[in-house]
Amino acid sequence: MSDPSRTGQAQTMKMRGDFVLLRADSLRLLIPQRDVSSTEYIDQQPVATAEPGVFVLGDEPGRAQTVLALSAQMDLLGTFPPDRFLLTRFTGSYQGTALAWNEVRVLIDTELDFHAMPTVMQGKVALIDAYVEIDRELAFCTTAQRMLPDATMQPD
Amino acid sequence: MDLRLPVLLDDAPPGDTVREPPALACVLEYARDSFVALPVHAGVELVESPRLVPVPGMAHFCRGLVAWQGRQLPLIDLQAYLAGVDPQAASPFSHVLVVAYQVAPGAAIDYGAFCAPFLIRMVQVVDRDLCPLPLGQARWDGIAISCFLHQGKAIPVLEPSRIFTSPVSPAIP
């Protein structure tokens, strides 16, 4: 039997659990449900801040919510897309920052085939561990920690 | 394994008497006037306009995952991989070459894909065509198993398993 770490090709593992499928235009991400603390509608236009790619919701001092929107390459978008109308907040060190999406689906007790990302594709920053196929389209497996830039992390 | 490549077979020049049994190699022009070869059994299929999904954070020489026969294959742009060319500046492509490889004898066959911006050719190679690896923009010794002269050009023969099992580009910075 070959050593899986040497094949370079996708290894597959079946996993059952609770996940959240997030869509930002053509980007589809799958994260563990435990990473998400809440989801809600965005009912007002986020306002740009002096920091590129960082927006805020609400104008009450000390209660403004930091909001980010990701591109297909998981970079921060400089302009807030008007069709991102759903907001997810995260648990742990990232609870102060929210991300905006076109679609959020919760998958409860769902079994999925996780295919490890081929070795040759791994870039300098490992954003994606694996991919799954949901509704005949790929979704990339990641975590809240990998989606959010370190600058947005808050101490627990 | 079926070889379903639409290929041109280069004829030997008239009057050239081949004394040694020739081997076939699959030659890919990965950028204008830049060639690599693959062992003939490695080239599996030339696919036109496959479904391509870019992957966030992937290595700069990867174009994404291509769907092929129920699998998702990593697609490598050899121009970016070998010469460090920015993928935005690399030659546009409409085809991908699906390649097969094994990491060890007896191991399962794995697959990957290379961008194929130009024609694929099958060429006949004999022992006397063997030549040293070229000095260029890539460290060929880590990824090539031999090299041969064809129409005055040194063409490295790639071993796909060495490419698809490492995330490191051989391009010399």
Side-chain angles (χ1 to χ4, degrees):
Chain A
M1 198 164 118
S2 63
D3 173 2
S5 65
R6 289 192 59 218
T7 68
Q9 199 63 80
Q11 303 298 311
T12 303
M13 187 170 62
K14 243 180 224 314
M15 279 176 61
R16 179 174 286 279
D18 302 333
F19 307 98
V20 179
L21 180 64
L22 306 161
R23 184 171 70 80
D25 300 328
S26 62
L27 175 69
R28 284 165 37 110
L29 298 173
L30 187 79
I31 65 172
Q33 194 203 15
R34 63 174 179 273
D35 282 9
V36 177
S37 67
S38 66
T39 300
E40 61 190 69
Y41 288 103
I42 299 175
D43 56 4
Q44 55 186 302
Q45 180 66 26
V47 178
T49 66
E51 198 174 339
V54 178
F55 303 85
V56 290
L57 277 174
D59 48 12
E60 290 180 48
R63 299 195 61 181
Q65 168 72 62
T66 302
V67 182
L68 311 174
L70 298 180
S71 71
Q73 287 302 311
M74 292 177 68
D75 298 318
L76 297 185
L77 288 173
T79 304
F80 197 88
D83 57 353
R84 302 279 175 94
F85 65 100
L86 290 163
L87 199 67
T88 52
R89 292 193 178 86
F90 301 96
T91 54
S93 305
Y94 296 90
Q95 55 193 306
T97 304
L99 282 172
W101 308 98
N102 304 101
E103 184 183 351
V104 176
R105 275 170 63 188
V106 181
L107 308 173
I108 298 295
D109 193 25
T110 303
E111 186 173 85
L112 295 167
D113 287 329
F114 286 72
H115 305 275
M117 200 53 72
T119 309
V120 70
M121 301 192 78
Q122 291 163 10
K124 288 178 185 165
V125 182
L127 296 174
I128 306 297
D129 302 313
Y131 62 89
V132 295
E133 198 166 323
I134 299 174
D135 300 336
R136 298 187 172 193
E137 286 189 64
L138 298 189
F140 298 116
C141 308
T142 188
T143 61
Q145 186 181 0
R146 289 180 179 188
M147 284 192 298
L148 292 165
D150 285 343
T152 64
M153 191 172 79
Q154 293 181 348
D156 284 328
Chain B
M1 182 184 312
D2 291 339
L3 182 68
R4 285 175 283 174
L5 288 170
V7 295
L8 294 182
L9 191 61
D10 279 6
D11 291 323
D16 183 21
T17 307
V18 178
R19 297 186 185 88
E20 312 154 59
L24 276 177
C26 173
V27 174
L28 167 64
E29 187 174 3
Y30 64 89
R32 177 65 70 194
D33 216 25
S34 298
F35 301 87
V36 290
L38 294 157
V40 70
H41 58 269
V44 175
E45 188 173 347
L46 193 62
V47 183
E48 185 176 7
S49 306
R51 183 175 164 211
L52 174 65
V53 180
V55 180
M58 63 188 166
H60 76 279
F61 49 79
C62 289
R63 291 292 189 99
L65 290 167
V66 287
W68 179 75
Q69 294 198 1
R71 300 163 182 258
Q72 299 291 332
L73 309 182
L75 177 63
I76 305 297
D77 185 328
L78 285 172
Q79 199 173 358
Y81 180 77
L82 295 169
V85 172
D86 182 343
Q88 307 294 330
S91 304
F93 64 96
S94 59
H95 292 73
V96 305
L97 176 64
V98 176
V99 298
Y101 64 89
Q102 278 180 300
V103 294
I109 293 174
D110 282 328
Y111 299 91
F114 295 131
C115 299
F118 302 104
L119 200 60
I120 307 281
R121 287 173 183 272
M122 301 299 274
V123 302
Q124 291 185 330
V125 183
V126 292
D127 284 350
R128 67 170 184 273
D129 296 329
L130 292 178
C131 70
L133 289 165
L135 299 173
Q137 292 172 292
R139 294 186 184 93
W140 292 107
D141 51 346
I143 56 171
I145 47 175
S146 65
C147 188
F148 63 87
L149 272 176
H150 179 67
Q151 296 179 346
K153 287 185 182 300
I155 301 182
V157 182
L158 298 185
E159 171 47 61
S161 68
R162 297 184 188 174
I163 296 174
F164 288 103
T165 55
S166 167
V168 179
S169 159
I172 297 169

